Amino acid sequence: MRGTGKADVFVMLAHPVGHAKSPGIFNQIFEEKGLDSLMVPLSCRPEDFDLFWDGLTAAENVRGVIISVPYKTRVFEKCAAAHNRAARVRSANSVRRQADGSWYADNFDGVGFMDGLAAGGHQVRGKRILQVGAGGAGASLAYCLAEAGAAEIRLADVDRDRAQALADLVAAAYPGCRIAVGAADPTGMDMAINATPMGLKPTDPLPMDTAALTPDMTVVDIIMEPAETPLLREAARIGCRIQPGRPMMDFQTEAMARFFDIERKDRGDG
C-alpha cells in the first residue's frame, strides 16, 4: 500500500510546475517497485521562496527534492554541502536530506545529457559545438562537454555577461577545450545544442539560425515536450541527425533514483 503515514515523500519544485514530468515518472517507479513513497509537485511565487523552503525543511518526512526553473541556484544556496557537479555551477537540480536534517546538493543535468548522447550514438570528443543557453542546465552541459573532450564550444546566450562568466570558468577548468562567447550561429560546427526553454511554446522563436544548419551536423534539444520541437523538426527537414530531450530526462531519472536511494539500500549520507 502506498501513501501511508510512513511514506517517504519527495517533492518536485518549479514555478510554474504544471509542465513537470518527474512526479508522474517517479510515482510510476514507486508503484512498480512497491515502495511506500510518493512525489508531489509543488510551486511557490519567487517572492515566497524563503518562507516555502523553511517550511519544506521543517517537514521531516520530505527526503528529497527535484528542482527546476527558476529555483536551481536559490536551492543550492540553501544546502550545507554539494557534489562538485553542483558546486562548480552553483546550481542544484536534486537535493537530499542528510542525517542532521540539512540538505546535500547535486546536479544531474550534464550527467543525463551526456549519457543520453552516448546512448544515441553521438560523439563529443574532438567536435566543434554550438551551445545556446548558459543558464542552470546550460552551465552543467558546458562543463560536461568540455570534460568529455569537445574541441571547441561556441556559447551563445541572451545574457552575454552570464555566458562570458561561464566560458571563463569552463576554460580555466578544461584548458584543452576552446570556448568562446558568440552568436547563435552553427556555421562551422559539428553539433548544435539548444539548452534554453525556447521551444516549449509554439510561439517561441527558434533558438538558433537554422539557415546555417547542414546535413552533416547533429542537432540536440534538451526540451522534452514537445518531443519534436520546431528546432528538431527544421533540423530533420534539412537532413541533420537529431537528438530529442527525453533521453536526457530518462538518464537523469536513473541517476536521481540512485541519489535519493529510493529503496533505502544505502543508509549513509555521504
Side-chain angles (χ1 to χ4, degrees):
M1 182 176 180
R2 292 183 57 231
T4 72
K6 297 179 180 179
D8 285 331
V9 178
F10 299 87
V11 168
M12 171 74 221
L13 171 63
H15 181 72
V17 76
H19 68 281
K21 305 302 176 188
S22 292
I25 293 170
F26 270 92
N27 285 326
Q28 182 176 347
I29 293 171
F30 299 150
E31 187 74 36
E32 292 170 352
K33 291 182 176 290
L35 300 173
D36 186 10
S37 303
L38 68 157
M39 181 172 287
V40 181
L42 293 179
S43 186
C44 73
R45 297 176 302 176
E47 58 267 31
D48 294 330
F49 172 77
D50 289 328
L51 179 63
F52 173 89
W53 194 258
D54 287 344
L56 199 65
T57 300
E60 296 177 325
N61 63 336
V62 174
R63 286 189 55 211
V65 184
I66 295 176
I67 308 102
S68 189
V69 178
Y71 295 122
K72 292 182 179 184
T73 297
R74 295 184 71 177
V75 169
F76 174 82
E77 292 168 352
K78 299 288 188 180
C79 293
H83 191 284
N84 182 55
R85 284 185 296 258
R88 67 189 182 184
V89 295
R90 299 193 62 78
S91 174
N93 80 340
S94 302
V95 300
R96 70 184 179 208
R97 181 93 63 174
Q98 300 191 104
D100 64 358
S102 65
W103 296 102
Y104 181 87
D106 208 331
N107 193 313
F108 298 105
D109 286 326
V111 172
F113 180 79
M114 298 304 297
D115 287 349
L117 280 184
H122 305 295
Q123 300 295 320
V124 167
R125 183 166 297 279
K127 301 298 184 182
R128 298 162 298 170
I129 300 171
L130 166 68
Q131 179 183 309
V132 184
S140 297
L141 268 57
Y143 271 100
C144 289
L145 290 168
E147 186 177 30
E152 178 183 346
I153 299 173
R154 180 182 299 158
L155 192 59
D157 193 273
V158 291
D159 186 337
R160 189 178 179 88
D161 290 341
R162 177 171 69 176
Q164 188 61 61
L166 175 60
D168 291 343
L169 290 170
V170 173
Y174 300 100
C177 176
R178 299 188 304 276
I179 180 166
V181 175
D185 178 357
T187 300
M189 299 289 108
D190 301 304
M191 180 182 290
I193 301 166
N194 175 37
T196 79
M198 285 189 286
L200 279 171
K201 295 184 260 185
T203 55
D204 287 343
L206 289 169
M208 64 186 67
D209 180 9
T210 55
L213 293 174
T214 56
D216 58 324
M217 296 177 183
T218 298
V219 178
V220 188
D221 204 323
I222 70 168
I223 291 173
M224 196 175 85
E225 188 175 309
E228 185 183 59
T229 62
L231 171 63
L232 294 182
R233 186 163 54 249
E234 180 63 12
R237 186 191 68 77
I238 291 168
C240 304
R241 296 179 70 196
I242 62 172
Q243 172 89 348
R246 182 59 193 247
M248 175 179 172
M249 182 69 232
D250 290 342
F251 282 103
Q252 278 198 85
T253 298
E254 292 179 13
M256 289 170 176
R258 291 191 297 271
F259 174 72
F260 290 138
D261 186 22
I262 59 174
E263 297 181 70
R264 290 187 176 267
K265 292 179 179 178
D266 181 3
R267 296 293 179 135
D269 294 292

